[in-house]
């Protein structure tokens, strides 16, 4: 083993050193959730305020959403049979328009809103709900604001 190999091997665990070089380094033993638990509501409020009132923040969040979801998308079946392909495409279009449990937004808007909520609040929740048979779609999708979910 050469001297260079020894230096490389020692540098791997440099962060765990207990010598003079580590004096004054503060490394908390708690995670980010516990650290921000008391001020999470304030952080979310400030983030939403910046989104509404600061154009740079707004354009950054919108740009991220465009990168992830796009300005729109069209699902198309790859089936070889044209009849089945057409039927699947029609079913997707129907689901896309009726997937929202609250019957307000199409599926693509739910995805867009989910990305925006995640960027502003730090997390986003999508709830899948099996709906009664009298509803148009047997599976409903509901966007749940992160403020409504307890931190525990």
């Amino acid at each position: 083993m050469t001297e260079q190999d020894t230096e490389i091997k020692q540098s791997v665990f440099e962060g765990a050193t207990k010598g003079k070089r580590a004096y004054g380094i503060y490394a908390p033993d708690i995670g980010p959730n516990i650290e921000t638990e008391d001020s999470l509501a304030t952080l979310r409020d400030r983030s939403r305020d910046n989104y509404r009132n600061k154009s740079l923040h707004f354009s950054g969040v919108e740009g991220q959403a465009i990168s992830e979801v796009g300005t729109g998308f069209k699902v198309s079946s790859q089936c070889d049979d044209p009849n089945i392909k057409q039927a699947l495409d029609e079913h997707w279009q129907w689901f896309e328009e009726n997937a929202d449990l609250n019957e307000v937004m199409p599926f693509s808007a739910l995805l867009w809103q989910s990305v925006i909520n995640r960027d502003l609040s730090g997390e986003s929740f999508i709830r899948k709900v099996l709906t009664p048979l009298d509803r148009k779609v047997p599976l409903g999708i509901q966007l749940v604001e992160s403020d409504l979910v307890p931190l525990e």
Side-chain angles (χ1 to χ4, degrees), residues 35-87:
E35 187 73 30
T36 61
E37 186 174 16
D38 295 335
S39 59
L40 189 57
T42 304
L43 288 170
R44 287 179 177 162
D45 291 344
R46 288 179 182 166
S47 178
R48 290 184 187 120
D49 181 62
N50 280 333
Y51 177 73
R52 289 188 291 264
N53 297 313
K54 307 273 196 263
S55 60
L56 188 60
H57 189 241
F58 177 83
S59 62
V61 171
E62 293 289 314
Q64 180 68 28
I66 289 172
S67 295
E68 289 186 46
V69 178
T71 56
F73 60 90
K74 180 172 173 49
V75 175
S76 179
S77 170
Q78 299 297 313
C79 184
D80 293 331
D81 185 349
N83 294 330
I84 295 175
K85 178 180 170 60
Q86 181 181 1

Side-chain angles (χ1 to χ4, degrees), residues 117 123-127 142-149:
N117 283 343
E123 55 195 358
S124 184
F125 298 97
I126 297 175
R127 182 174 163 232
Q142 183 180 33
L143 205 58
V144 179
E145 290 281 338
S146 58
D147 296 331
L148 301 176
V149 180

